[in-house]
């Protein structure tokens, strides 16, 4: 079946992190890891402002396109019937992640955590370990 996407079927999508704007353009559908569960956004979606948890955002540029998968560590989503803006704490394309490097990082962080004595240091290392594990899970999915 031919792709029936028209200008009425798409919304403007932007994904921004503190470092840079990762994406800006149109999207047919965006799936976002909200704190209360994943939610999909299509053109005409009700307006909503949501906190976003760590996970993978999937962007379909057309109804028949393969999804672009972006790992984020959290942030906020601002959705209107014609726009979806995602402000992410940290964001990286899943295709840019290296499973072998992430596995090594997990081993190193686990070792560092096992010898850390200060509670603040332990907390920082645990957060980095959690993010790295989530990135590895995103690559494996």
């Amino acid at each position: 079946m031919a792709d029936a996407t028209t200008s009425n079927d798409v919304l403007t999508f932007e994904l921004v992190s503190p470092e840079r704007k990762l994406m800006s353009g149109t999207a047919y559908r965006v799936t976002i890891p909200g704190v209360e569960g994943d939610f999909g956004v299509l053109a005409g979606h009700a307006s909503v402002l949501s906190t976003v948890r760590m996970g993978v955002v999937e962007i379909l540029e057309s109804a028949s396109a393969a999804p672009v998968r972006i790992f984020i560590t959290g942030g906020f989503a601002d959705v209107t019937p014609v726009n979806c803006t995602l402000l992410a704490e940290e964001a990286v394309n899943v295709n840019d992640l290296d499973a072998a490097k992430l596995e090594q990082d997990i081993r190193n962080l686990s070792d560092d955590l096992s010898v850390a004595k200060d509670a603040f240091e332990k907390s920082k290392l645990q957060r980095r370990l959690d993010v790295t594990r989530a990135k590895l899970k995103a690559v494996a999915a």
Side-chain angles (χ1 to χ4, degrees):
M1 176 176 214
D3 185 0
T5 302
T6 68
S7 61
N8 294 333
D9 295 331
V10 297
L11 60 136
T12 303
F13 175 71
E14 286 194 334
L15 174 58
V16 182
S17 74
E19 293 83 29
R20 64 189 172 107
K21 185 183 295 187
L22 277 82
M23 295 186 78
S24 181
T26 58
Y28 172 73
R29 185 182 78 215
V30 180
T31 303
I32 299 171
V35 293
E36 294 183 15
D38 292 358
F39 64 96
V41 178
L42 296 165
H45 195 285
S47 295
V48 65
L49 182 61
S50 176
T51 306
V52 178
R53 73 179 193 289
M54 188 178 335
V56 175
V57 177
E58 288 191 348
I59 303 99
L60 291 177
E61 294 176 343
S62 71
S64 60
V68 175
R69 300 178 71 238
I70 307 290
F71 175 84
I72 61 169
T73 58
F76 295 93
D78 182 12
V79 178
T80 71
V82 295
N83 296 309
C84 178
T85 303
L86 185 55
L87 306 173
E89 295 170 6
E90 176 188 341
V92 62
N93 190 312
V94 172
N95 291 336
D96 294 339
L97 297 172
D98 178 343
K101 182 182 181 322
L102 292 168
E103 289 169 351
Q104 183 60 51
D105 290 347
I106 289 169
R107 286 189 292 275
N108 293 343
L109 288 166
S110 295
D111 290 346
D112 292 346
L113 185 59
S114 69
V115 297
K117 298 194 184 340
D118 177 75
F120 180 71
E121 181 183 0
K122 285 182 181 183
S123 175
K124 281 182 17 179
L125 287 167
Q126 186 62 56
R127 169 72 176 160
R128 288 178 54 203
L129 185 57
D130 293 344
V131 169
T132 306
R133 285 180 174 150
K135 286 179 180 178
L136 184 59
K137 182 178 176 183
V139 170

